[in-house]
Amino acid sequence: MSSSFLSIEGLAKRFPPQTGDGEPLTVFENVNFRIERGEFVCIIGHSGCGKSTIMNVLAGLDEATEGSVIMSGQEVRGPSLDRGVVFQNYSLLPWLSALRNVTFAVAARHRDWSKEQVRAHSYKYLELVGLTGGAELRKPAQLSGGMRQRVSIARAFAIQPELLLLDEPFGALDALTRGTIQDELLKIWRGTSQTVFMITHDVDEAIYLADRVLLMTNGPFARVAESVEVGIPRPRSRDEIVEHPNYYKVRNHLVHFLARRSKQMAGREHATASGRPETVRFGEDEKDRPAPSALYAISQ
């Protein structure tokens, strides 16, 4: 058995044929990757490759057709408070205030805590995402989209899961709000031992946040083809990260994969025998840097 914190082995998702003599639809198959405790890993791929389905399997909200997910030596079967999820649509309880949305989850996690302990713990995480001073008493309908997402992130971290799953949590936010909440996410993550697995379509977001970026080929028969090590030291700042020798190398590699290679490598016939993603590293001592004009704009 793998000694990694999280091990995904031979995962596949197939749907029955729409007609009696048709072939089943294989969204992805032979998906294999591992995540170490405390890592921040992003996964990128075009729509339809099964990223969200993989995350739902990790969360225990869906079942794979084949394969297994092993976390801390135990197979994942069904939801658990050891895994926290943040969705793009916030998923808050609309009749509760921001603070009570968090205390509701914390009380479920720590049933032996007093109300005062639950409230103090919940308030601390809302404070970490900059949501106090009266905002914590507002209901979701009274909050902006960015503030709602802060509540979702505070709630997920407050239950102190071993694994935090983020499904494009900033996709609906404007650029300035997205950058602010990304920084707050990193601030909380640095102060915990939690492991993060995040879906994103944003190449720059992945480079800024992640230790590694997993790249998926197009579906059907999608798979994780590469594991790209970002190789940029932490802590990272937005104004300095673009000066690092790895930045444009990693960015161009990710964009080129999405623009061309994700389609070229698609299909069962291009899969490797082992099914393991290729590890891609970029040396910090290389001086050449691709020109910004080589970059692509990817629209999903």
Side-chain angles (χ1 to χ4, degrees):
M1 184 174 293
S2 168
S3 60
S4 297
F5 165 68
L6 184 69
S7 181
I8 287 77
E9 304 288 345
L11 216 61
K13 184 66 174 181
R14 311 186 203 279
F15 291 98
Q18 294 184 344
T19 60
D21 57 350
E23 292 290 328
L25 171 63
T26 299
V27 181
F28 57 81
E29 70 175 2
N30 204 17
V31 168
N32 300 272
F33 61 90
R34 296 177 181 178
I35 299 177
E36 303 305 325
R37 187 177 295 277
E39 263 195 306
F40 197 127
V41 174
C42 285
I43 187 166
I44 293 181
H46 287 286
S47 297
C49 68
K51 302 182 301 297
S52 292
T53 302
I54 291 173
M55 177 165 288
N56 286 337
V57 172
L58 299 186
L61 302 174
D62 197 356
E63 292 185 2
T65 309
E66 299 169 12
S68 61
V69 176
I70 308 296
M71 190 176 92
S72 298
Q74 301 294 321
E75 187 168 4
V76 169
R77 291 187 179 277
S80 167
L81 288 172
D82 288 333
R83 283 161 273 129
V85 186
V86 177
F87 297 103
Q88 186 174 344
N89 62 355
Y90 320 124
S91 300
L92 300 177
L93 300 175
W95 59 90
L96 297 180
S97 68
L99 179 58
R100 290 194 63 199
N101 263 279
V102 181
T103 59
F104 182 83
V106 173
R109 173 71 165 177
H110 300 286
R111 297 182 181 276
D112 57 334
W113 283 13
S114 67
K115 288 184 178 180
E116 291 75 18
Q117 284 178 299
V118 169
R119 191 182 189 283
H121 182 81
S122 302
Y123 189 88
K124 179 182 74 172
Y125 280 89
L126 284 171
E127 194 171 34
L128 285 172
V129 297
L131 201 59
T132 53
E136 75 279 8
L137 302 179
R138 299 179 194 168
K139 293 181 179 179
Q142 299 170 304
L143 301 173
S144 68
M147 295 168 82
R148 293 177 201 170
Q149 199 58 291
R150 293 180 194 210
V151 178
S152 297
I153 290 170
R155 180 178 61 184
F157 271 104
I159 65 171
Q160 298 174 310
E162 290 189 67
L163 176 64
L164 186 62
L165 302 165
L166 308 175
D167 191 353
E168 296 191 69
F170 314 125
L173 304 178
D174 64 88
L176 290 176
T177 303
R178 183 165 61 244
T180 299
I181 302 181
Q182 286 171 354
D183 290 339
E184 289 164 351
L185 171 64
L186 285 177
K187 180 174 66 176
I188 300 176
W189 173 72
R190 284 196 298 267
T192 71
S193 60
Q194 288 161 324
T195 307
V196 178
F197 179 80
M198 175 175 162
I199 296 173
T200 181
H201 279 108
D202 189 325
V203 167
D204 294 300
E205 180 173 77
I207 297 172
Y208 183 59
L209 296 176
D211 297 309
R212 287 188 295 126
V213 182
L214 302 177
L215 297 175
M216 288 195 72
T217 63
N218 292 2
F221 300 104
R223 70 185 191 285
V224 176
E226 291 185 357
S227 171
V228 180
E229 297 183 2
V230 174
I232 299 177
R234 298 184 188 273
R236 299 168 187 167
S237 66
R238 296 179 190 281
D239 56 341
E240 294 179 359
I241 192 173
V242 294
E243 301 299 328
H244 192 277
N246 279 6
Y247 179 78
Y248 283 107
K249 296 173 188 174
V250 175
R251 192 182 195 279
N252 282 357
H253 184 87
L254 300 184
V255 171
H256 185 260
F257 183 92
L258 290 172
R260 298 181 184 177
R261 297 176 58 240
S262 60
K263 182 178 181 180
Q264 294 170 352
M265 299 173 69
R268 178 179 286 175
E269 66 274 15
H270 296 292
T272 61
S274 67
R276 300 288 174 189
E278 178 186 355
T279 299
V280 179
R281 299 184 179 92
F282 295 88
E284 293 185 29
D285 56 342
E286 299 174 41
K287 302 301 182 185
D288 58 301
R289 186 172 80 177
S293 60
L295 304 179
Y296 299 88
I298 300 299
S299 60
Q300 297 296 332

